[in-house]
Amino acid sequence: MAIQAVSLEKSYRLLNHGATVLVSAKHGEIENVMAASWACALEFSPAKVTVVLDKSTFTRALVEQSEWFALQVPVAHQAQMVVDVGTDSMHDFPDKLQKYGVKLFYQNDYPTPLVEGCAGWLVCKLISEPHNQQVHDLFIGEVVAAWADDRIFKDGHWHFDEVPNELKTLHYVAGGQFYLTGAGLKVNKGT
Amino acid sequence: MAIQAVSLEKSYRLLNHGATVLVSAKHGEIENVMAASWACALEFSPAKVTVVLDKSTFTRALVEQSEWFALQVPVAHQAQMVVDVGTDSMHDFPDKLQKYGVKLFYQNDYPTPLVEGCAGWLVCKLISEPHNQQVHDLFIGEVVAAWADDRIFKDGHWHFDEVPNELKTLHYVAGGQFYLTGAGLKVNKGT
């Protein structure tokens, strides 16, 4: 596999099918990762996203302080890690990333760590909106760079029908229950 | 099948796996339906949702005028209709619902029409936020009632592993490309 850049105008496609994401952030020397189902594209150009970050999460403070975050799309073989980092807070488990084997990397000097093994990554600059953040726990970011694992997403398209289940993305419901991204279905506009 | 009520505190589960939705609204005698990929849960209790409604859409004006909308989760056998109502605007095709065979119904005297044949429905009262609506095309609603097709969602859980593909929900990417909701994967929190 190779990590290939995704154009900003097509970066929404990494999120459009509604997969569960991991949210990563760093402030000072502290890096963290949490899981989130409530992340969504907001605008095509400039590419923007929303993500809901509860006030109880450690990652939220890192986002507020650094004004950067990344969204990344984990795959099925990472499901246990997604549940674990989504359940345990760094408030209570300062070593949670090591405990759950989360490996981070950095791309092109952006200040936000990315999680190894995901299908796609979006680095986002926070667009500060105090009302949305305080009242709705809703954070808006402008996507400034995106990449994908070219086995799974290439030339602006997902290739889920060509990868084994372990490389399919995850759709979380509740109580540890996920559904994998399933079979493709192509529909042409009717007349 | 039967349409069964979903409790408000579990209604987020109808959206949590990130399926593409249909947005319906009515003002005066005018009913309309559009497709949207950018819809998301926002809060558990009181249950709230976000949905992005571009200024070019006819449905957006109905939502602004009536202050009500519904989100509903279509299934695979409706994919052609989802693309068609998501492509053609009522601005240009006043008869689009008839043209594409969209059948509407009402539940329990709520003022918003619902689309027949979907897997789940959420009736939402608009929470007016002019900044979000104008700047981000982002609409927030409080969920006031929800229902599901009990073949597909029952007792607070999806049952996708027990239904044929035609009853699985849809995850849109771009250019007519969907992926169906796939196989279930249950993960228990690690220790």
Side-chain angles (χ1 to χ4, degrees):
Chain A
M1 64 85 78
I3 294 177
Q4 293 205 352
V6 175
S7 68
L8 295 181
E9 65 265 30
K10 290 188 176 166
S11 64
Y12 77 93
R13 297 184 183 182
L14 296 173
L15 300 176
N16 213 71
H17 70 303
T20 299
V21 302
L22 296 171
V23 186
S24 55
K26 179 187 183 186
H27 180 64
E29 295 305 307
I30 304 175
E31 302 164 319
N32 200 15
V33 178
M34 61 178 275
S37 297
W38 299 355
C40 197
L42 177 66
E43 194 165 318
F44 290 109
S45 181
K48 294 179 188 171
V49 299
T50 56
V51 61
V52 177
L53 302 174
D54 191 75
K55 294 180 182 68
S56 67
T57 65
F58 193 97
T59 302
R60 175 185 171 128
L62 301 180
V63 173
E64 291 174 323
Q65 292 166 331
S66 69
E67 302 198 321
W68 288 90
F69 63 93
L71 302 183
Q72 47 245 299
V73 189
V75 296
H77 73 76
Q78 298 173 301
Q80 181 71 57
M81 179 268 281
V82 172
V83 168
D84 290 339
V85 301
T87 307
D88 286 350
S89 172
M90 194 170 273
H91 286 303
D92 305 314
F93 300 91
D95 64 342
K96 75 177 229 187
L97 298 188
Q98 296 87 326
K99 184 178 177 188
Y100 297 123
V102 180
K103 292 189 176 155
L104 301 175
F105 68 105
Y106 288 81
Q107 279 277 97
N108 302 11
D109 295 328
Y110 287 104
T112 307
L114 306 175
V115 179
E116 284 188 12
C118 291
W121 301 264
L122 302 100
V123 173
C124 303
K125 184 81 181 78
L126 180 68
I127 296 173
S128 179
E129 292 230 344
H131 169 79
N132 281 324
Q133 294 167 207
Q134 283 305 311
V135 175
H136 299 301
D137 296 335
L138 184 73
F139 290 71
I140 297 175
E142 180 175 341
V143 182
V144 298
W147 303 271
D149 176 333
D150 67 358
R151 295 173 299 178
I152 316 173
F153 185 98
K154 191 174 181 180
D155 299 331
H157 299 281
W158 288 107
H159 294 274
F160 291 122
D161 288 335
E162 301 157 29
V163 299
N165 274 352
E166 66 179 26
L167 293 181
K168 290 180 178 169
T169 52
L170 293 160
H171 302 262
Y172 191 66
V173 182
Q177 178 68 51
F178 293 94
Y179 291 93
L180 305 190
T181 305
L185 176 66
K186 185 80 160 60
V187 175
N188 294 313
K189 171 72 179 67
T191 54
Chain B
M1 63 83 78
I3 294 176
Q4 294 206 352
V6 175
S7 67
L8 295 181
E9 64 267 28
K10 289 188 177 166
S11 64
Y12 77 92
R13 296 184 183 183
L14 296 173
L15 300 176
N16 214 72
H17 69 304
T20 299
V21 302
L22 296 171
V23 185
S24 55
K26 179 186 182 186
H27 180 64
E29 295 305 308
I30 303 175
E31 302 164 319
N32 200 16
V33 178
M34 62 178 273
S37 296
W38 299 355
C40 196
L42 178 66
E43 195 165 319
F44 290 108
S45 180
K48 294 179 188 170
V49 299
T50 56
V51 62
V52 177
L53 302 175
D54 190 75
K55 292 179 184 69
S56 67
T57 66
F58 193 98
T59 301
R60 175 185 171 128
L62 301 180
V63 174
E64 290 174 322
Q65 290 166 331
S66 69
E67 302 197 323
W68 288 90
F69 63 92
L71 302 183
Q72 47 245 298
V73 189
V75 296
H77 73 75
Q78 299 173 301
Q80 181 72 57
M81 179 268 281
V82 172
V83 167
D84 290 339
V85 301
T87 307
D88 286 350
S89 171
M90 193 170 275
H91 286 301
D92 305 313
F93 300 90
D95 64 341
K96 75 178 231 188
L97 298 188
Q98 296 86 327
K99 183 178 177 188
Y100 297 123
V102 179
K103 294 189 176 155
L104 301 176
F105 69 105
Y106 289 80
Q107 280 277 98
N108 301 11
D109 295 329
Y110 287 104
T112 307
L114 306 175
V115 179
E116 283 188 13
C118 291
W121 301 265
L122 302 100
V123 173
C124 303
K125 184 83 181 79
L126 180 68
I127 296 174
S128 179
E129 293 228 345
H131 169 79
N132 281 325
Q133 294 166 208
Q134 283 304 313
V135 174
H136 298 302
D137 296 333
L138 184 74
F139 289 73
I140 297 175
E142 180 174 342
V143 183
V144 298
W147 303 272
D149 176 333
D150 67 358
R151 295 173 298 177
I152 317 174
F153 184 97
K154 191 175 182 180
D155 300 331
H157 300 281
W158 289 106
H159 294 275
F160 290 121
D161 289 335
E162 299 157 30
V163 299
N165 274 351
E166 65 179 26
L167 294 181
K168 290 181 178 169
T169 51
L170 293 160
H171 303 262
Y172 191 66
V173 182
Q177 178 69 51
F178 293 95
Y179 290 92
L180 305 189
T181 305
L185 175 66
K186 185 81 160 60
V187 175
N188 295 312
K189 171 72 178 69
T191 55

